[in-house]
Amino acid sequence: MRVLITGVCGFAGHSLARQLPALVPGLEITGFDSLARAGSEINRRTNGVKLIHGDLRCACDLESLPAVDWVIDAAAQPSVMGGVDGKSSSRQMVEHNLLGTLNMLEYCKRHRAGLILLSTSRVCSIVALNALPMHVKDSRFVPTAMVPGLSNKGVNESFSTATPISLYGSTKLASESLALEYGAAFDFPVYVNRCGVLAGAEQFGTAEQGIFSWWIHAWRARLPLRYIGFGAEGLQVRDALHPNDLARLIATQLGNNNTAKPQIVHIGGGMDRSMSLAELSVWCAGAMGAHEVGRDENGRPFDVPWLVMDSSLATSTWDWQPEISLESTLEEIARHATNHPDWITRVNA
Ligand SMILES: NC(=O)c1ccc[n+]([C@@H]2O[C@H](COP(=O)([O-])OP(=O)(O)OC[C@H]3O[C@@H](n4cnc5c(N)ncnc54)[C@H](O)[C@@H]3O)[C@@H](O)[C@H]2O)c1
């Protein structure tokens, strides 16, 4: 089977390019990346993968791509602050994420290639997430009542996606919609995996994106860290999904053209792999010694207090669930931070 991975030099794309050949025998991978992300240059070479340097925003850059059977779209500007933080423009964000998807879909249409789109938990409504009734238990927020789309396993596919969801979230939600339409209109399979926070070694973590990686690397380097917003106690919770677990799901989806299957699934580490920032700090102190964390009462735009993905539909649809424990993911990141003390400056250039 021939596969094109866009964003192949990014954290998810690179991990998938390394993992999938062992999971799908006979896989031929072509990679595509603009190397726009700081740090992506490090992943220029992956064994057995031919890298094509190009920009998804430019339709002509896709003309020279070979025909494939499946596309895994892992190229995006993946930060909720993208387009609003003054580092990149709003137009750039939309063009990378939405125009990029459009050009990819035209490519899929041309070659009748199936598409696996990496989407995000951040398509979930910020207003609805901020309105969840919470109490504090130990050092984390815990929802106290269930609302539509929320169970004791986390947020599922029926949770509200009403705006505001950030510019990033809206480019992904629009990409999902466009992908499903193209698949239906031009008869190719489309699967959308809405990922929670991805975490693992070699991630290009920043304060805005890749929080588990950023926090551990910054702790190791004794860089300033702050609990921001929500009372500034670090009670906000996320779950962590290791990209190798994502690879197992995608290996099952590749080659599958069963139109009866749900096309959008939530995937994440779930409650067992969830943690608050305060809990992460306790873990870091145990692993790497003490470090002071500052407090900033002023919240950040687009932030939410609690977001854990309920992967039940992915489990019943694809017989998939995460296997890598949170502890082992955190240890892996810490080991990488120890072995690469300059990582955080290289990927935050
Ligand atoms: N990292 C997470 O926690 C997370 C969570 C949920 C969903 N996702 C989704 O997973 C996908 C991959 O995220 P990631 O964490 O690997 O991001 P990343 O920034 O590490 O990798 C993205 C890659 O895409 C490339 N790229 C960006 N714009 C491009 C363009 N116009 N043309 C060609 N290449 C381009 C970048 O150079 C980079 O190598 C994204 O779609 C993101 O929305 C990520």
Side-chain angles (χ1 to χ4, degrees):
M1 187 190 305
R2 300 160 303 169
V3 167
L4 172 70
I5 302 180
T6 66
V8 74
C9 300
F11 174 56
H14 183 61
S15 308
L16 293 171
R18 284 191 303 189
Q19 289 301 313
L20 286 172
L23 299 169
V24 185
L27 202 65
E28 286 171 35
I29 301 178
T30 301
F32 184 86
D33 205 298
S34 63
L35 303 172
R37 175 79 194 247
S40 58
E41 188 70 36
I42 299 166
N43 294 334
R44 235 176 199 282
R45 280 178 192 78
T46 310
N47 275 347
V49 175
K50 181 177 181 216
L51 172 65
I52 297 178
H53 182 213
D55 192 322
L56 281 180
R57 293 173 296 179
C58 305
C60 61
D61 280 3
L62 282 78
E63 282 172 4
S64 60
L65 289 177
V68 295
D69 306 301
W70 283 82
V71 173
I72 302 168
D73 191 359
Q77 303 283 317
S79 165
V80 278
M81 294 304 291
V84 294
D85 57 3
K87 293 181 195 158
S88 61
S89 77
S90 47
R91 177 179 286 276
Q92 273 175 329
M93 160 59 99
V94 175
E95 288 188 355
H96 276 294
N97 290 8
L98 191 53
L99 182 56
T101 303
L102 171 64
N103 287 334
M104 205 64 258
L105 288 167
E106 285 289 332
Y107 168 90
C108 289
K109 171 185 158 187
R110 202 159 58 245
H111 296 291
R112 283 290 178 86
L115 176 70
I116 294 172
L117 179 70
L118 297 195
S119 188
T120 171
S121 55
R122 297 312 305 265
V123 300
C124 294
S125 171
I126 291 171
V127 170
L129 287 167
N130 276 308
L132 292 179
M134 298 281 175
H135 74 165
V136 177
K137 183 160 185 279
D138 302 325
S139 301
R140 61 157 66 198
F141 287 127
V142 177
T144 51
M146 296 305 126
V147 299
L150 175 73
S151 76
N152 56 9
K153 293 180 178 167
V155 167
N156 65 38
E157 294 76 6
S158 59
F159 196 83
S160 168
T161 54
T163 54
I165 54 174
S166 79
L167 209 49
Y168 165 60
S170 67
T171 60
K172 300 301 281 192
L173 191 61
S175 290
E176 290 184 2
S177 186
L178 210 52
L180 296 180
E181 283 300 332
Y182 261 71
F186 304 112
D187 195 25
F188 59 85
V190 172
Y191 298 119
V192 174
N193 297 323
R194 285 185 183 161
C195 309
V197 175
L198 294 171
E202 300 180 30
Q203 187 168 21
F204 311 135
T206 69
E208 287 83 33
Q209 193 260 330
I211 187 65
F212 289 93
S213 170
W214 160 258
W215 204 262
I216 293 172
H217 276 273
W219 193 287
R220 163 72 64 200
R222 300 301 189 263
L223 294 177
L225 284 169
R226 289 175 306 153
Y227 297 132
I228 302 174
F230 308 111
E233 301 283 351
L235 302 173
Q236 54 267 58
V237 173
R238 300 289 187 274
D239 55 339
L241 176 66
H242 195 284
N244 292 1
D245 277 334
L246 172 63
R248 284 191 304 100
L249 172 66
I250 290 180
T252 314
Q253 293 172 323
L254 282 174
N256 200 304
N257 189 3
N258 182 342
T259 48
K261 285 191 184 293
Q263 288 177 283
I264 298 181
V265 292
H266 280 199
I267 57 163
M271 293 302 293
D272 291 347
R273 293 164 187 76
S274 70
M275 207 176 218
S276 69
L277 272 182
E279 290 167 340
L280 181 55
S281 292
V282 170
W283 189 92
C284 288
M288 297 178 283
H291 179 43
E292 193 178 338
V293 179
R295 302 179 67 221
D296 182 352
E297 300 272 354
N298 300 315
R300 273 191 303 196
F302 313 112
D303 206 357
V304 294
W306 191 94
L307 187 45
V308 174
M309 294 300 260
D310 174 0
S311 310
S312 300
L313 185 62
T315 302
S316 58
T317 306
W318 298 106
D319 193 20
W320 173 90
Q321 50 194 7
E323 288 178 353
I324 298 170
S325 70
L326 180 57
E327 182 68 22
S328 122
T329 299
L330 301 181
E331 282 170 1
E332 176 188 297
I333 299 170
R335 222 172 13 255
H336 183 256
T338 303
N339 294 335
H340 301 83
D342 63 337
W343 184 262
I344 201 158
T345 43
R346 285 173 83 189
V347 304
N348 280 275

